[in-house]
Amino acid sequence: MQTNFDLSNYNTLAMPATAKMFIAINNHSELAAAMALSAWHDNRKIILGGGSNVFFAADYQGIVVHPQFLGKELIAETNESALIKFGAGEIWDDCVQFCVDHNYFGIENLSGIPGSMGAAPVQNIGAYGVELDSSFIKLDAINLTTGEEKTFTKDDCKFAYRNSIFKHELRDKFIITAVYLNLNKQFQPILTYSDLKDLSVTELSAQELRQKIISIRNSKLPKPTEIPNAGSFFKNPIISQELAHKLAQEYPHLPKFAYGDNKFKISAGWLIEQAGLKGYTHGTASTHSNHALVLTNSGRGTATQFAELIALVQEKVHTKFAVQLESEVRIIE
Ligand code: NAP
């Protein structure tokens, strides 16, 4: 266990926060040893994977637990599909590459997403019309209080749009150690998003689709190593049909997509842009000039100005559209 630990290299926003204590966990026995320490039970804890979806608004007065469980293992297969077990500490995009290399298909649209495998189900990561839950089978986790091992099925995880039980009632209660995905052996590309519409279903390989997605992302999104950021900062709001129709009358170009029964998902990036905040700078914090939904710590500042920018974006969007933006990124105080 390390004390007064600098977290600036452990969050892609490069916030200069510290943790009262920090521990990396590589396996079950290291976790058992950590749980035997009195400090373990005397302090609150958070799980920090790749740090790509977190804003440290203040120093963390507890234990930051960093899972590093590794491994990519074929567990079972049929002619149609393969069940693969991934260690929670594996880098998500390395796992996508591994699947594409081995002709296991289904997550290629999720190429280039930063973060770890263990974080993927917490957020139910999604991109270009594919969400993790479409391949997810189960995960292994350990209760951080009792040490009990538990397997969570897809139903147990209560997946929703960028959401799961691990963001709510079980937040920081379990450490995820492994994730099991069921991948197809036949490549069936999903090309519904306009950025992918020019691709030919018949001639496309999974490797080509992966490269296309990576190059689109690279062209739109700032690299955290160059401009610190945590990807899309806000969720795309899910609003009532009534409000969607009202907004569409006033703003005919509002991007809106049917979402479940009588609901619509609208583009948070578009709302921020229309509120006049694309490429807006507030001290050391900015909205990105290519993608207003990405808030950057461009001046590598402290949390104060970044928090002020979040509040300003929410206020301006609410004033103009009567829509409350919720952060997709976890805010830790
Ligand atoms: P985009 O393609 O410009 O689309 C803008 C928004 O409209 C997206 O957020 C997307 O929602 C929605 N959308 C577009 N086409 C849609 C369709 N055919 N059906 C349903 N919804 C549609 O988005 P972008 O910002 O360049 O991002 C591309 C993809 O990568 C998106 O899926 C986005 O979520 C994902 N991404 C995620 C992050 C992150 O940090 N979470 C960062 C960058 C990109 P969805 O977001 O629900 O897909």
Side-chain angles (χ1 to χ4, degrees), residues 13 15 54-57 228-231 233-234 282-287 294-298 301-313 329 331:
L13 272 169
M15 284 295 158
V54 67
F55 165 41
F56 283 101
N229 74 86
F233 197 87
F234 300 101
H282 174 73
T284 49
S286 307
T287 57
V294 178
L295 306 195
T296 68
N297 179 20
S298 44
T302 56
T304 309
Q305 284 177 332
F306 197 81
E308 287 168 359
L309 180 65
I310 296 168
L312 179 81
V313 170
V329 169
I331 300 174

Side-chain angles (χ1 to χ4, degrees), residues 52-53 109-114 123 125-131 161-162 191-197 213 216-217 220-221 229-236 238 255-259 265-270 290-291 293-294 328-329:
S52 59
N53 202 43
N109 287 35
L110 306 179
S111 291
I113 295 182
Q123 165 82 348
I125 58 171
Y128 298 103
V130 174
E131 290 181 336
Y161 181 63
R162 305 285 193 271
L191 306 175
T192 47
Y193 274 43
S194 58
D195 279 347
L196 307 177
K197 283 265 164 65
I213 284 171
I216 297 167
R217 291 182 68 99
K220 285 188 181 178
L221 298 165
N229 74 86
S232 303
F233 197 87
F234 300 101
K235 292 182 188 176
N236 289 314
I238 311 286
K256 63 177 176 54
F257 304 90
Y259 189 87
K265 177 180 68 179
I266 58 173
S267 166
W270 189 89
N290 286 349
H291 204 315
L293 191 51
V294 178
E328 179 179 303
V329 169

Side-chain angles (χ1 to χ4, degrees), residues 45-47 53 117-124 132 136 138-144 150-160 162-179 330:
K45 293 168 272 299
I46 51 162
I47 315 285
N53 202 43
M117 176 54 82
V122 175
Q123 165 82 348
N124 187 22
L132 178 85
F136 180 92
K138 61 179 181 175
L139 60 81
D140 295 334
I142 299 174
N143 185 312
L144 287 178
K150 184 168 159 59
T151 294
F152 289 80
T153 64
K154 189 166 166 174
D155 281 350
D156 294 335
C157 292
K158 297 191 184 165
F159 288 124
R162 305 285 193 271
N163 230 331
S164 77
I165 194 168
F166 301 104
K167 279 184 124 179
H168 299 282
E169 39 282 42
L170 297 188
R171 166 159 269 172
D172 298 322
K173 301 273 190 293
F174 281 84
I175 184 168
I176 296 170
T177 58
V179 177
R330 181 174 182 189

Side-chain angles (χ1 to χ4, degrees), residues 78-242:
T78 65
N79 287 340
E80 288 79 38
S81 65
L83 178 67
I84 319 275
K85 176 183 179 182
F86 297 97
E90 292 287 348
I91 293 169
W92 166 263
D93 196 52
D94 290 352
C95 299
V96 180
Q97 181 71 64
F98 171 89
C99 290
V100 170
D101 287 347
H102 289 81
N103 295 328
Y104 302 140
F105 307 119
I107 54 173
E108 46 290 332
N109 287 35
L110 306 179
S111 291
I113 295 182
S116 64
M117 176 54 82
V122 175
Q123 165 82 348
N124 187 22
I125 58 171
Y128 298 103
V130 174
E131 290 181 336
L132 178 85
D133 63 359
S134 60
S135 305
F136 180 92
I137 296 293
K138 61 179 181 175
L139 60 81
D140 295 334
I142 299 174
N143 185 312
L144 287 178
T145 306
T146 64
E148 171 209 6
E149 292 186 37
K150 184 168 159 59
T151 294
F152 289 80
T153 64
K154 189 166 166 174
D155 281 350
D156 294 335
C157 292
K158 297 191 184 165
F159 288 124
Y161 181 63
R162 305 285 193 271
N163 230 331
S164 77
I165 194 168
F166 301 104
K167 279 184 124 179
H168 299 282
E169 39 282 42
L170 297 188
R171 166 159 269 172
D172 298 322
K173 301 273 190 293
F174 281 84
I175 184 168
I176 296 170
T177 58
V179 177
Y180 299 73
L181 301 183
N182 191 51
L183 287 316
N184 297 320
K185 291 194 174 172
Q186 199 183 343
F187 178 49
Q188 290 168 324
I190 293 173
L191 306 175
T192 47
Y193 274 43
S194 58
D195 279 347
L196 307 177
K197 283 265 164 65
D198 59 332
L199 298 174
S200 154
V201 183
T202 46
E203 288 162 27
L204 185 71
S205 72
Q207 194 64 258
E208 285 163 348
L209 176 52
R210 171 172 163 73
Q211 288 314 323
K212 172 82 178 178
I213 284 171
I214 288 172
S215 78
I216 297 167
R217 291 182 68 99
N218 286 344
S219 70
K220 285 188 181 178
L221 298 165
K223 283 199 176 66
T225 45
E226 290 162 15
I227 305 176
N229 74 86
S232 303
F233 197 87
F234 300 101
K235 292 182 188 176
N236 289 314
I238 311 286
I239 60 172
S240 67
Q241 184 169 309
E242 193 189 3

